[in-house]
Structures are given as structure tokens and as C-alpha cells.
Amino acid sequence: MSNAPPEHAPLVQFDVQDDCLQIGGMALTRLVQRVGSTPFYAYDREKISERIALLRRHLPQEILLHYAMKANPMPAVVQHIAGLVDGIDVASAGEMRVALDTVIPPHRVSFAGPGKREYELRSAIAAGVMLNVESVQEMESVAQLGMNLGITPKVAIRINPDFELKSSGMKMGGGPKPFGIDTECVPDALKRLAALRLDFYGFHIFSGSQNLNASALQEAHAKSLQLAIRLADHAPAPLRLLNIGGGFGVPYFPGERALDLAAIGENLQRLMPEVQWQLPGARIALELGRYIVAEAGIYVCRVLERKVSRGQVFLITDGGLHHHLAASGNFGQVIRKNYPVVIGNKVRGGEREVVSVVGPLCTPLDVLADQLPMAKAAAGDLVVVLQSGAYGLTASPTAFLNHPVPIEVLV
Ligand SMILES: *Cc1c(COP(=O)(O)O)cnc(C)c1O
């Protein structure tokens, strides 16, 4: 069975020794003993550091690199990343608390998201965190709360651009959206901002997530800069910050290729002189979530039973969609595709077979792999879902069926 069909995006990110996956400098079998029980998530700190170094190598030196922590809010992960990036983007007061525990100064923490609660705005203002305001109404609340506190709030305007990010897995801008202020309304919003005497930092434009198409991202970056230059004429003060979003994708499925980071870096490098000319004093920030953490993380569960039903093999595991919704195909996928899944303690295996990996939940949605070729496994073997460092546990319905919540470790 060695000439099986292409199985998954290549396993480039982890070594395999004696047919056992290595993570954090140790064999997976040993890590399982260290953690004590399955299922769990493990994040490899060296891989995260390497990824950030790769970004720094390709991006213009002047660009600020922010971590959008909703991709993986585990405090140890955020602490590790905080030492390597210039800022953290948060999407709730809970995330903001974790970010403020790091070495990142408060003004390099930015808080985005629609429907921020009053207590969230108040604590952001008190902390000196920058608020990406998503509507004029929110701007009014921020000004009022700032007045009550006797603190001038730091704000940027999130713009809902008048263009869409092509080939994005999840669109966050363009057309009617709950995010940001529509481009055509920004001049009036800026007038109001000036009257409210808010401390204006700049603009925030984020158009979509999970993009593997470098030329689409290049186009979005160029259009975002053009838009910012155009709208800066209406601003009450020179722009200090222009956040052009995240959205760099990683390959999950057969046929997908890694993003051409060099092309993205070169494009930004080409755009820099125009920005420095038109917006002197403005720093450009990229806020990346997925790209920084996705490939550094794995989800590990154990086979409880190998079951054959009408000729089809099922590996029933102690993990499932309640821990890893994205791998089950229910987090924004239109057509379900398999994440890369391997048997971690026998990656190649002596014998191979096509199996479906399922969890213990009483629903047919609880599938981690649907008819995927892998090493022939039995009860006790370890199933590993790769590319699981982003939007994994944090995006999963852990309360569903009330099984224990998995452990997370940074190794
Ligand atoms: C989710 C989010 C990001 C990160 O997106 P990725 O696709 O993970 O890079 C960045 N900015 C904002 C405002 C977000 O909501």
C-alpha cells in the first residue's frame, strides 16, 4: 500500500524518528507520559519562534508584527510570542487581560471586534489599550467613558473597505459587514472623532482570513494603503498606525501550497516609499494569528477501539469535535475536507489502511478524518491531527456532551 494517494500536506514541520513523531525535542510517546493523559494539544515553542523569524526575514524591517491572539489564546503561548512580536491584537476583555500580563506595552495592545461591552471599553481605556472602533456609536461611547474616567482614549478607526480580499477562506471586509465603518462614512466619522477629542492613532483594515494566494494578499495590501492615504486627508492628526490586518493562510488540505511569503514581503517593500512619502510617521502593522501558530500545534488523542462496520474501518478515539471543531469540518468549511491526520507513534507504519477517525460523541458530525489512508492502528495508538495550533481548542464547543476539557502544553 506504499503507493497510496497523496495523503496530506507534507509533514515538513515535525521530525519523525523511529517512526514516531517528535515534538518539542521529544518523542510523542514520551510527551504523552509527561502530559499524563489524552487528549491534549501540544504547541512547539521552537516552531513558533522559527515562524516569527521567517516573517521578520521576509517583511520590510519597518513593519510592526502583531499577534492576533484569538487564533490561540493559551497564556503560555501568548507569553512566548509576546517576547518576539511588537504588539498583540485582542478581541475581548478576557484576551486583553492575558495580553496585559505580557511585556507588550498597553498602547501596542489593540482591541477590535463589534459589540464591545461597556465594561470592556472602560477597562481598555483605563489600561491605555488602543481601541479599534467599529462604529460611530461605539466612538461616542468611548468618548463618554473616557470623559468619566478623565482619560483620553486611544483609538483607531476600523474601516470596512470598499474592496474584497480575493480567494480568502473567510471574508471579513467588503460589501455589507458588521465589522468596521464603511469607507464612504469614514470622512464624517473622522469629523466626529475630532470633535470628541479622541487620541487618534490611525486605521485598521482587515479583509479576510486563511488566504494562500499571495497575489490576492498583495492586491489587498496595496488597496489598503491606497485607501488609508485617501482617507488620511480627512483625519484630525497624522496617522501613527496603519494596521493592514492578518489573514495569511497555511495549507491544510491535499493540493494546497504554502503561502509565498517572499512575494508578499517584496510587495510591501515596494509599497513602503509611497507610504513613507504620503503618510510620514505612520507605522504599518500586520496582525497575524493563524500563520504564527497553526503549524506549530498538534492535537493528540488515543484510539479506544478499532471497529469494522460493513467493511469500513473506524478508529474510535477519546477526542473529537468538542475539542477540535475545525478538524471535524464544522468551522467555516463549506465542503468537509480532511485535516492532515497521522498515527503519531507509527507514522509510516508497517501496514496501512484507509480509516475514518471518529470521536465519542453521539453525532455523525464527530469525525476527525473521513476515509483517510494511515498506518494500521489499534486500541492504544495515538492519533495526531496536524496543523492544529490555530483556531483549535479555542474555537471548539467543549461543553458539548460534557467530556473533560483537554490539556494544553507548550513544549
Ligand atoms: C481574527 C482576526 C485576525 C487574525 O486573522 P488570521 O487569519 O488568524 O491571521 C486579525 N485581525 C482581526 C481584527 C481579527 O478579527
Side-chain angles (χ1 to χ4, degrees):
M1 293 266 260
S2 58
N3 50 359
E7 298 184 8
H8 44 66
L11 260 180
V12 282
Q13 66 274 43
F14 294 105
D15 285 343
V16 175
Q17 278 174 29
D18 299 328
D19 216 20
C20 184
L21 196 78
Q22 309 287 306
I23 178 163
M26 76 183 86
L28 178 67
T29 44
R30 175 157 177 187
L31 179 62
V32 169
Q33 297 308 321
R34 196 195 107 164
V35 173
S37 64
T38 53
F40 63 87
Y41 277 90
Y43 313 116
D44 185 316
R45 81 175 76 220
E46 201 48 46
K47 297 283 184 233
I48 296 174
S49 303
E50 283 168 13
R51 181 48 63 98
I52 293 168
L54 181 76
L55 281 160
R56 297 279 195 200
R57 255 198 319 280
H58 284 291
L59 297 173
Q61 193 193 315
E62 308 88 322
I63 288 216
L64 298 170
L65 186 59
H66 287 201
Y67 176 49
M69 65 173 277
K70 80 171 189 289
N72 188 328
M74 185 205 184
V77 167
V78 178
Q79 287 289 348
H80 176 65
I81 293 174
L84 304 169
V85 296
D86 307 303
I88 299 181
D89 293 294
V90 303
S92 72
E95 286 191 0
M96 186 176 70
R97 272 197 303 278
V98 174
L100 289 172
D101 281 343
T102 70
V103 297
I104 300 289
H107 72 278
R108 286 279 165 84
V109 174
S110 57
F111 187 171
K116 296 181 198 75
R117 252 60 52 82
E118 206 175 281
Y119 78 90
E120 294 184 301
L121 295 174
R122 203 182 305 114
S123 68
I125 295 165
V129 159
M130 211 197 52
L131 285 158
N132 291 334
V133 295
E134 309 253 350
S135 69
V136 174
Q137 198 179 312
E138 187 174 86
M139 198 195 290
E140 301 282 349
S141 309
V142 167
Q144 187 59 52
L145 291 164
M147 213 128 64
N148 298 348
L149 288 164
I151 303 168
T152 306
K154 300 177 172 59
V155 299
I157 287 191
R158 179 165 182 183
I159 300 172
N160 175 26
D162 46 9
F163 58 84
E164 280 196 356
L165 176 57
K166 288 175 194 145
S167 32
S168 167
M170 219 179 267
K171 288 191 175 36
M172 305 276 292
K177 286 284 181 303
F179 312 110
I181 298 175
D182 295 341
T183 303
E184 55 279 19
C185 304
V186 171
D188 282 344
L190 284 166
K191 254 186 234 149
R192 188 64 192 139
L193 186 148
L196 291 169
R197 300 181 176 281
L198 296 166
D199 187 7
F200 176 69
Y201 266 66
F203 296 129
H204 175 214
I205 305 169
F206 175 47
S207 22
S209 191
Q210 179 49 18
N211 204 309
L212 286 170
N213 181 341
S215 65
L217 281 162
Q218 288 176 330
E219 189 185 319
H221 291 160
K223 285 184 170 170
S224 297
L225 298 178
Q226 287 310 322
L227 181 58
I229 289 167
R230 184 151 52 88
L231 291 172
D233 288 341
H234 303 269
L239 258 62
R240 277 175 278 174
L241 187 70
L242 174 55
N243 181 334
I244 56 172
F248 292 14
V250 301
Y252 290 97
F253 310 121
E256 287 186 340
R257 308 240 328 255
L259 187 63
D260 185 353
L261 197 57
I264 289 174
E266 284 158 20
N267 180 59
L268 285 168
Q269 195 71 63
R270 272 194 301 274
L271 296 167
M272 289 310 290
E274 165 96 356
V275 176
Q276 282 158 348
W277 169 248
Q278 302 269 9
L279 303 172
R283 301 287 304 265
I284 297 192
L286 277 170
E287 45 169 14
L288 299 171
R290 188 188 311 270
Y291 195 75
I292 290 176
V293 285
E295 300 189 84
I298 60 173
Y299 172 65
V300 183
C301 56
R302 200 183 277 283
V303 178
L304 300 172
E305 188 182 333
R306 178 179 175 279
K307 178 175 175 177
V308 182
S309 166
R310 306 210 163 110
Q312 209 175 306
V313 182
F314 292 89
L315 299 177
I316 300 171
T317 69
D318 59 4
L321 84 73
H322 51 317
H323 300 159
H324 202 330
L325 186 71
S328 80
N330 293 292
F331 186 62
Q333 284 189 35
V334 182
I335 300 165
R336 191 191 178 285
K337 292 185 206 157
N338 288 318
Y339 265 51
V341 177
V342 297
I343 305 300
N345 56 314
K346 40 171 109 152
V347 175
R348 276 311 312 168
E351 228 182 304
R352 298 181 70 77
E353 64 179 352
V354 172
V355 300
S356 291
V357 179
V358 302
L361 307 189
C362 302
T363 160
L365 298 177
D366 193 10
V367 174
L368 291 176
D370 183 23
Q371 309 222 41
L372 199 61
M374 57 186 83
K376 185 168 181 180
D381 282 332
L382 300 166
V383 170
V384 173
V385 183
L386 298 155
Q387 313 292 76
S388 295
Y391 304 107
L393 184 59
T394 184
S396 299
T398 52
F400 191 35
L401 270 82
N402 210 4
H403 288 285
V405 173
I407 293 165
E408 292 180 286
V409 291
L410 176 67
V411 288

